[in-house]
Amino acid sequence: MPIMNGMQLLKNINKTFPEIPFVLMTGHGTVKTAVEAMKLGAKDYILKPLRLDEIVAKIERLLQMRSLIKENEYLLDKLQEKYDFTNMIGKTDKIRNLFNLVKDVAGTNTTILIQGDSGTGKELIANALHYNSQRAKRSFIKINCGVLAENLLESELFGHVRGAFTGAIRDKVGRFELANGGSLFLDEIGDISLNMQLKLLRVLQEGEFERVGGTETIKVDVRIISATNKNLEKAMKEGSFRQDLYYRLNVIPIYVPPLRERREDIKFLIQHFVDKFGKIYGKLIKNIDPQAMKILESYDYPGNIRELENLIERIIVLNKNNEISITDLPDSILNGSDSFSSEDLNFDEGLQNLVEKFERRAIQKALKMNNNNKVKTAKMLAINRSTFMSKLKKYSIN
Ligand SMILES: Nc1ncnc2c1ncn2[C@@H]1O[C@H](COP(=O)(O)OP(=O)(O)OP(=O)(O)O)[C@@H](O)[C@H]1O
Ligand SMILES: [Mg+2]
């Protein structure tokens, strides 16, 4: 080779085109040069004399590897995009503050405990924490602690060695090991037994553990993010959750407020899910009838965002005319909720809307109390029958 030798070429290519896999062909037949080249970043080497089939096989293997790497990068990009903050909807102060906290702590290595009612977005936040951290390119391993029996949970978390118990026919790597270098999401942490709590405490304190039935101590570097919809403070007072573990897990507490504490976000979430499911099911929704929107906005969503998301998905799937109107809403929403709370008093809506919203709900509740008997309901509300019927019509109550 003129100007430079193979090793120099390798160094230069590595610098300028690091994504190009380099295969060194060495004429001297010395494995030493080959090893040196691999250390410098060559992906493979070929010894002279050159055999064409060998070089073809090696190139094929490298191309395969490259497409796997590209695919991996692509998938990771998609994941990072999915858990980008732009895809997390919420404009109320409560949720903006929460997102800011998540942004601030994502990059740190601290242990985080996410608490909140079911369906509020705890897992979404756990994902955002991982995919916006320095560990984003390493694994994010999840485990739902609530669904596994104690012994299964133990072997899932820590792995086991062959023969540790009946059915352990081979060694198994646990989730802690799989998450090494990355993050581990312990979902429903409030559901684990006191015995498992003690075992977890040790890993959190010492960063080490043994596989079930094993003797070798394994050290890992894992960031722990846990979540629960249980009130752990209360569990602690009752003695069903260890205090020391609680403080280990709860270095940074994140509380996700239920939807009823951020009702202003409902309309943005509705729009978000209408767009999302519109794309998925190939349905373009051109218009949401303002009255339907009002009803959707005033519903209580005890199942929080998950319930809202499922509701919109169902509406979109069944939708036929590119428009969401009252008739597209399921009865459960139309019949509304029973409870009145000060949270419902959003004065931006104006008195007229507020009064109508309450009137609608009062009528629904009265109807329910009278088993849908209209005569009795009108009597209870002390209005005459025709006024009552016109109100039913006005509020689309059947
Ligand atoms: N702020 C948000 N913006 C958009 N989508 C959200 C938001 N919060 C939650 N979601 C969506 O709502 C659904 C429920 O969220 P998630 O699974 O994170 O809730 P969770 O608190 O873990 O619920 P559970 O307690 O039932 O496990 C998911 O599909 C999630 O993507
Ligand atoms: Mg969850």
Side-chain angles (χ1 to χ4, degrees):
M1 264 184 26
I3 307 174
M4 60 179 91
N5 67 21
M7 287 304 205
Q8 280 163 330
L9 180 68
L10 168 60
K11 279 187 200 159
N12 285 336
I13 287 199
N14 259 352
K15 229 185 278 157
T16 330
F17 305 104
E19 73 280 10
I20 296 183
F22 190 102
V23 181
L24 182 88
M25 180 168 70
T26 165
H28 309 296
T30 62
V31 174
K32 202 166 149 253
T33 327
V35 169
E36 207 183 308
M38 301 282 275
K39 271 191 198 145
L40 284 174
K43 288 284 177 295
D44 209 341
Y45 63 90
I46 290 174
L47 299 177
K48 278 186 183 173
L50 181 67
R51 282 183 45 206
L52 215 50
D53 54 351
E54 190 188 352
I55 204 168
V56 168
K58 290 203 163 170
I59 288 174
E60 266 171 5
R61 196 179 62 86
L62 286 170
L63 285 176
Q64 242 171 24
M65 212 159 84
R66 203 160 111 137
S67 73
L68 280 178
I69 291 171
K70 286 255 177 278
E71 192 179 308
N72 201 343
E73 280 172 359
Y74 171 80
L75 290 174
L76 188 67
D77 268 2
K78 281 271 159 219
L79 276 173
Q80 278 181 313
E81 198 183 300
K82 185 166 172 201
Y83 296 113
D84 187 88
F85 290 97
T86 52
N87 284 322
M88 292 169 62
I89 307 303
K91 292 208 198 311
T92 48
D93 288 346
K94 272 199 175 150
I95 209 76
R96 297 296 352 152
N97 292 340
L98 171 69
F99 291 168
N100 285 336
L101 173 65
V102 172
K103 265 181 216 169
D104 287 346
V105 297
T108 67
N109 248 335
T110 15
T111 306
I112 290 177
L113 174 65
I114 308 168
Q115 290 187 264
D117 288 357
S118 104
T120 46
K122 296 184 296 297
E123 186 163 350
L124 183 79
I125 284 170
N127 279 299
L129 284 166
H130 174 79
Y131 289 105
N132 290 289
S133 76
Q134 294 108 323
R135 294 171 179 252
K137 290 193 164 33
R138 310 297 293 273
S139 15
F140 184 40
I141 304 291
K142 302 180 182 183
I143 183 162
N144 186 336
C145 305
V147 297
L148 296 169
E150 179 170 328
N151 53 348
L152 276 179
L153 179 62
E154 185 177 5
S155 100
E156 275 303 319
L157 283 173
F158 307 119
H160 61 240
V161 297
R162 197 175 124 191
F165 46 85
T166 31
I169 42 175
R170 56 177 72 87
D171 288 3
K172 180 185 165 82
V173 177
R175 309 268 171 125
F176 266 100
E177 274 177 85
L178 289 173
N180 198 8
S183 320
L184 178 63
F185 179 45
L186 302 171
D187 204 359
E188 314 296 355
I189 189 82
D191 293 348
I192 64 172
S193 68
L194 283 163
N195 191 18
M196 275 309 293
Q197 290 173 28
L198 187 62
K199 288 182 177 158
L200 260 183
L201 183 67
R202 178 175 165 224
V203 198
L204 287 173
Q205 275 173 341
E206 282 141 46
E208 60 181 44
F209 58 91
E210 287 89 36
R211 289 186 182 171
V212 177
T215 49
E216 186 197 346
T217 299
I218 299 168
K219 269 201 170 303
V220 284
D221 162 32
V222 171
R223 181 199 201 168
I224 307 284
I225 302 170
S226 39
T228 180
N229 55 21
K230 293 245 166 82
N231 183 338
L232 288 191
E233 298 243 0
K234 188 163 156 254
M236 221 160 50
K237 284 191 193 113
E238 288 166 356
S240 57
F241 205 88
R242 292 182 68 100
Q243 205 171 353
D244 42 12
L245 179 62
Y246 177 75
Y247 291 118
R248 278 277 164 188
L249 291 171
N250 199 21
V251 179
I252 305 264
I254 290 185
Y255 170 68
V256 194
L259 216 41
R260 65 173 180 278
E261 289 177 20
R262 40 171 162 137
R263 299 201 67 101
E264 284 296 277
D265 286 334
I266 296 179
K267 54 178 174 294
F268 301 112
L269 285 160
I270 292 173
Q271 197 54 57
H272 171 74
F273 290 128
V274 166
D275 294 344
K276 173 179 163 183
F277 292 112
K279 260 188 216 139
I280 292 177
Y281 295 107
K283 298 199 178 170
L284 182 70
I285 302 298
K286 293 200 188 110
N287 181 39
I288 304 176
D289 172 58
Q291 229 192 329
M293 190 66 176
K294 242 193 217 169
I295 297 172
L296 284 171
E297 273 183 62
S298 59
Y299 178 67
D300 265 357
Y301 301 102
N304 291 297
I305 303 188
R306 188 191 310 290
E307 182 179 2
L308 173 65
E309 183 175 14
N310 291 343
L311 169 71
I312 302 294
E313 178 169 11
R314 174 174 157 191
I315 292 174
I316 300 286
V317 168
L318 299 174
N319 189 274
K320 290 206 177 67
N321 48 9
N322 300 336
E323 196 199 38
I324 298 176
S325 53
I326 293 186
T327 48
D328 296 317
L329 307 183
D331 289 346
S332 54
I333 303 294
L334 288 172
N335 294 336
S337 74
D338 282 330
S339 56
F340 293 80
S341 74
S342 58
E343 243 86 55
D344 295 328
L345 284 178
N346 169 21
F347 294 110
D348 296 342
E349 293 178 31
L351 186 61
Q352 175 78 14
N353 283 333
L354 280 175
V355 169
E356 285 181 2
K357 193 160 95 184
F358 277 77
E359 186 171 55
R360 179 171 197 278
R361 285 164 69 176
I363 292 173
Q364 283 172 327
K365 180 154 188 172
L367 269 171
K368 230 186 226 170
M369 288 167 74
N370 291 294
N371 278 328
N372 258 352
N373 182 320
K374 290 182 182 140
V375 178
K376 278 190 191 161
T377 309
K379 210 168 174 185
M380 184 173 124
L381 294 171
I383 49 175
N384 71 42
R385 206 180 127 76
S386 65
T387 315
F388 183 62
M389 292 314 282
S390 69
K391 288 203 188 287
L392 291 187
K393 196 160 169 234
K394 175 176 172 193
Y395 296 120
S396 311
I397 302 172
N398 305 314

